[in-house]
Amino acid sequence: MTCRTLISGMLLVACGFLASQASADTFHPVPARRLVEKYGVDKLVFVKRATFQSSHYYTDFIDGCKFFGTDLCVLDLKSGNLTSLLPEQIKTGLIGRIDVSFDAKRVVFDWKADDHSGFHLWEINVDGSGLRQLTFPPADERETSRRYHRFRDKPHHWVRYPEKYPVDFGVYGHWSDDMHPCYLPDGGIAFVSTRCRHGILCDGADILTTSVLCRIDADGGNMQKLTNSPVSEANPTIMGDGRILYTRWEYVDKGDVCVKCLWAVGIEGTASAEVYGNDIAMPPSMVHGRQVPGHPNLFVMTGAPHCPQTGVGTIIRVDTNKDIRSADAMTLMTPETEIDAEGWFKHPWQMENKDGDPRYSKGLGPHFADPYPLDPETLIMVCQPDRDKMWKRPDGYGIYLREGPGRYTEIFRMAGTSCWTPIPLKRRCVPPLRVTPLDSDVAGKRLAGVPLAVCVVADVYYGMAGVERGEVKHIRINEQVPRPWAARRRWDYHSFHQQHSQGSATNLGLKVQWGIVPVEKDGSAR
């Protein structure tokens, strides 16, 4: 346990928004005291590691792991004391994201040992005892990596175009990766995993890899795949009603870099439903979603570009009492940074000072991520505040308290590295269990070898301007199917194209037609 230097609280005003990088760990007692007195938050747990150097928002585990060295830390907000939870042999690896159990006694995290292995889930008690591994590589891990890992003899390259974007570290070896853990109300843990062995559809060589939503029991057993997305999913958290909130990306009749939006699903994988943004193009990526406590209609998220970056951008609040397919539902909580184009970032200071040339800022700051809401206006977040620093600065991100537009106060910063995923170490109410029992008659049937499910459309006319009720007689049921690694195009790793069962004029989706069903008079279909 080490007592850090105490420095008076600092208010970062939006018009200035400049901060020097600290040469020593710094703790600011004034904003910390506000968290203690107003919200009863005595401690924060967070990840210590350098910023991922990722090529896309979803490729932290593929090409972002350049700087190894990590820790899981508890910050005492009353004293400024910092406690390390991990043994020394674990600190040589990397932690991605974490979650705190509802009783605030345990922390679950994803950990990667080195650059020749994947992330897997671990758990530890908040006093540093009881460290245990929950998920392990499959038995065929080594053979799978040997079969699918490309460019084995070219360790220095960017994902797609090594001649254009060289980097000085390698890329994904097609390991299994279990990441972004989240405690469930029934005691289990949700996470995303590459065990599906799907490729991102725009990358014919499957260097880019998909992660889908999974779950395990508390002891790590009974692993189940909850979704079957053709492209990546990320950042599960638990809503107040017990459902899993997560980021879902899809290409279903959409552009290939946009519409990574917020969805919800039951803890057993049923009743999937859009929460917000299924046809909102900007920001392209809606990540780190969390529900505001006590407000079932309010959510916060990080709005991020598609690439190149690690899921940093601006913080947005969403009101789902408004049209969930309209930008009217979004409120920009950090107006110093906007994401209204693909890619990079836009800043008001840049537009004022550089004659409106958006190329000036490129990856410059400020940058925000990892919002944890305490009420509709107040949240804990991480921030790289300096407008002259790049998003990928390894030591750029500290822990901040946001209390209003432009009112961002640094709480803690570590020298030589960054802080990520700050979460209050505070007991929470366990949400209710929402379990949708399986229909054994449906579950026991197969169509072309695939288990059946019941799908319901409440009103097919919703959003169909100019179409009168009664005009639609049937709807066609299509599935955009994932592409397994085994279907990769080995002969041309630049190729986007795939084969299709229908819609051959498109590039990015293999769609299977399962059938046609009638539409009822009220617009519903089943």
Side-chain angles (χ1 to χ4, degrees):
M1 181 178 293
T2 305
C3 185
R4 302 298 175 182
T5 305
L6 302 184
I7 298 179
S8 60
M10 176 179 60
L11 184 65
L12 293 179
V13 181
C15 60
F17 216 88
L18 291 173
S20 61
Q21 302 300 322
S23 59
D25 292 1
T26 56
F27 170 70
H28 302 275
V30 174
R33 189 161 52 247
R34 290 201 291 272
L35 282 175
V36 173
E37 295 174 354
K38 185 173 182 179
Y39 297 98
V41 177
D42 296 335
K43 296 179 180 179
L44 295 177
V45 60
F46 66 93
V47 175
K48 168 190 173 182
R49 64 163 166 80
T51 305
F52 285 134
Q53 306 292 294
S54 311
S55 61
H56 299 67
Y57 96 95
Y58 61 92
T59 65
D60 292 344
F61 68 101
I62 298 174
D63 60 2
C65 301
K66 178 179 180 179
F67 302 110
F68 277 78
T70 196
D71 205 350
L72 187 61
C73 301
V74 175
L75 175 66
D76 188 313
L77 294 173
K78 293 181 178 179
S79 66
N81 289 344
L82 192 71
T83 303
S84 168
L85 299 185
L86 299 182
E88 292 302 317
Q89 65 268 28
I90 298 294
K91 295 180 183 179
T92 60
L94 272 179
I95 295 176
R97 300 190 66 79
I98 64 173
D99 193 30
V100 174
S101 62
F102 294 102
D103 60 6
K105 294 181 178 180
R106 291 163 291 132
V107 180
V108 64
F109 59 96
D110 52 10
W111 180 77
K112 177 184 176 75
D114 51 42
D115 58 2
H116 298 290
S117 59
F119 283 90
H120 294 291
L121 302 188
W122 292 65
E123 188 179 50
I124 194 169
N125 296 327
V126 297
D127 62 1
S129 66
L131 177 66
R132 61 173 180 154
Q133 187 171 353
L134 297 175
T135 66
F136 298 83
D140 62 348
E141 178 92 328
R142 180 173 296 182
E143 171 59 23
T144 299
S145 179
R146 185 198 65 78
R147 180 181 303 169
Y148 294 112
H149 184 25
R150 300 199 59 176
F151 308 109
R152 194 180 310 276
D153 58 340
K154 300 178 181 179
H156 306 307
H157 67 90
W158 194 77
V159 170
R160 270 219 190 100
Y161 305 108
E163 68 282 359
K164 187 175 181 182
Y165 300 109
V167 298
D168 58 358
F169 60 106
V171 296
Y172 189 53
H174 287 77
W175 308 287
S176 60
D177 284 273
D178 306 320
M179 304 166 290
H180 304 180
C182 163
Y183 284 104
L184 298 176
D186 67 352
I189 296 170
F191 60 101
V192 298
S193 179
T194 64
R195 293 174 188 260
C196 58
R197 298 179 180 176
H198 298 164
I200 298 297
L201 299 182
C202 66
D203 175 36
D206 288 333
I207 298 169
L208 304 180
T209 296
T210 294
S211 57
V212 300
L213 195 63
C214 301
R215 64 158 292 156
I216 52 174
D217 290 344
D219 61 0
N222 192 27
M223 186 180 293
Q224 301 176 42
K225 184 158 69 84
L226 301 182
T227 59
N228 196 45
S229 176
V231 278
S232 285
E233 298 173 334
N235 307 135
T237 59
I238 289 298
M239 299 167 60
D241 62 10
R243 291 182 295 163
I244 302 171
L245 177 73
Y246 68 105
T247 294
R248 169 177 157 177
W249 180 21
E250 62 176 39
Y251 288 168
V252 180
D253 301 323
K254 300 177 178 70
D256 61 340
V257 298
C258 299
V259 193
K260 279 87 71 176
C261 59
L262 300 183
W263 281 69
V265 69
I267 62 173
E268 71 296 325
T270 62
S272 178
E274 174 190 2
V275 173
Y276 177 72
N278 198 39
D279 62 355
I280 301 294
M282 296 296 154
S285 307
M286 304 177 186
V287 295
H288 310 151
R290 291 186 184 272
Q291 189 175 41
V292 177
H295 296 268
N297 63 303
L298 295 181
F299 299 83
V300 297
M301 63 186 182
T302 304
H306 178 70
C307 66
Q309 51 90 58
T310 180
V312 298
T314 192
I315 307 301
I316 298 170
R317 186 177 62 236
V318 171
D319 183 353
T320 56
N321 282 341
K322 300 179 180 179
D323 187 349
I324 63 172
R325 294 191 175 178
S326 166
D328 293 341
M330 289 192 288
T331 298
L332 196 58
M333 299 186 78
T334 51
E336 294 79 13
T337 301
E338 301 176 18
I339 313 295
D340 63 356
E342 177 54 44
W344 301 106
F345 314 89
K346 190 179 92 174
H347 309 289
W349 65 263
Q350 160 224 335
M351 303 305 292
E352 294 172 0
N353 298 332
K354 292 297 175 181
D355 299 322
D357 183 356
R359 294 172 296 177
Y360 175 75
S361 76
K362 280 294 186 179
L364 299 182
H367 308 98
F368 307 87
D370 289 346
Y372 192 100
L374 302 173
D375 60 39
E377 288 293 334
T378 309
L379 53 85
I380 303 163
M381 63 184 182
V382 301
C383 173
Q384 187 292 103
D386 199 324
R387 70 187 191 185
D388 295 320
K389 299 295 189 296
M390 289 287 289
W391 66 269
K392 62 182 180 180
R393 183 178 177 91
D395 62 348
Y397 293 82
I399 301 174
Y400 281 70
L401 176 64
R402 188 267 187 199
E403 298 174 280
R407 296 174 60 199
Y408 321 127
T409 312
E410 183 177 277
I411 300 173
F412 185 76
R413 179 177 294 275
M414 300 197 80
T417 189
S418 289
C419 305
W420 300 96
T421 325
I423 299 177
L425 201 55
K426 180 181 178 181
R427 181 185 295 270
R428 296 172 291 152
C429 294
V430 180
L433 281 177
R434 295 171 51 106
V435 178
T436 304
L438 293 177
D439 186 320
S440 57
D441 291 337
V442 173
K445 297 177 181 178
R446 298 290 187 273
L447 178 61
V450 178
L452 300 186
V454 176
C455 301
V456 177
V457 177
D459 187 358
V460 300
Y461 295 99
Y462 176 76
M464 294 181 63
V467 179
E468 298 295 328
R469 290 193 172 273
E471 290 188 38
V472 180
K473 305 300 182 184
H474 297 85
I475 59 173
R476 178 180 288 112
I477 308 303
N478 291 337
E479 178 189 6
Q480 181 163 352
V481 299
R483 185 186 66 239
W485 288 348
R488 74 193 321 175
R489 286 209 165 187
R490 297 174 180 269
W491 59 89
D492 179 8
Y493 83 95
H494 293 293
S495 175
F496 283 21
H497 296 268
Q498 301 175 55
Q499 303 302 313
H500 297 77
S501 62
Q502 65 178 62
S504 59
T506 65
N507 290 342
L508 294 174
L510 172 64
K511 293 182 181 179
V512 173
Q513 179 174 308
W514 287 105
I516 295 174
V517 296
V519 174
E520 305 298 331
K521 291 182 179 180
D522 64 356
S524 65
R526 176 181 183 275

